[in-house]
Amino acid sequence: MKEKLQEIQTLIKNLQENAPEETKTFFSFMQSVEKDGAVSAKNKELINVALAVAAQCEWCIAFHTKNALKLGASKEEIVEAAMQAVLMHGGPALMYMTPLFKAIEEFSNE
């Protein structure tokens, strides 16, 4: 999963070079919606984990699992959030619990 995060960094660098205005705008929007508000930043990351599992995006799973852990989410909270994706998205989302557990394992020790 750390490799996925490195791939994200490479992508961001490429986007900053090739679409700087769009990239800056996207990250500004992301920072705006992910900060504490009526829903805490931690709970927003748990929502993002569920959406990443439902979207079957391993890069998103790595990114949002690491962020959720940094914000104090427990393994149990992350797995429960991801199970909501399985409930709503079915068997394919269940299979993406595999990279989710890899991300929890890798990033819990940091």
Side-chain angles (χ1 to χ4, degrees), residues 1-16 27 58-64 66 103 106-107 110:
M1 298 311 288
K2 291 178 182 177
E3 182 179 317
K4 296 292 182 197
L5 292 181
Q6 184 57 50
E7 290 171 356
I8 291 171
Q9 291 302 318
T10 300
L11 173 61
I12 291 169
K13 182 180 176 190
N14 286 332
L15 289 171
Q16 287 171 331
F27 283 109
E58 291 185 40
W59 297 269
C60 302
I61 290 169
F63 183 80
H64 292 293
K66 184 172 183 175
E106 283 187 36
F107 301 133
E110 290 187 354

Side-chain angles (χ1 to χ4, degrees), residues 4-102:
K4 296 292 182 197
L5 292 181
Q6 184 57 50
E7 290 171 356
I8 291 171
Q9 291 302 318
T10 300
L11 173 61
I12 291 169
K13 182 180 176 190
N14 286 332
L15 289 171
Q16 287 171 331
E17 291 172 5
N18 295 288
E21 187 174 324
E22 295 88 341
T23 304
K24 181 180 176 183
T25 301
F26 176 78
F27 283 109
S28 176
F29 173 70
M30 186 173 78
Q31 288 176 343
S32 173
V33 299
E34 286 188 335
K35 66 183 177 184
D36 277 322
V39 177
S40 71
K42 177 182 129 179
N43 284 332
K44 288 178 180 182
E45 283 300 339
L46 290 170
I47 292 166
N48 291 340
V49 165
L51 292 170
V53 171
Q56 302 172 350
C57 176
E58 291 185 40
W59 297 269
C60 302
I61 290 169
F63 183 80
H64 292 293
T65 299
K66 184 172 183 175
N67 288 345
L69 288 163
K70 277 182 167 179
L71 291 170
S74 67
K75 177 181 180 179
E76 293 78 13
E77 288 174 309
I78 294 169
V79 172
E80 272 193 37
M83 289 303 292
Q84 297 307 302
V86 173
L87 171 67
M88 298 302 293
H89 197 68
L94 183 68
M95 296 301 108
Y96 275 81
M97 297 291 283
T98 299
L100 176 82
F101 279 107
K102 285 181 185 177

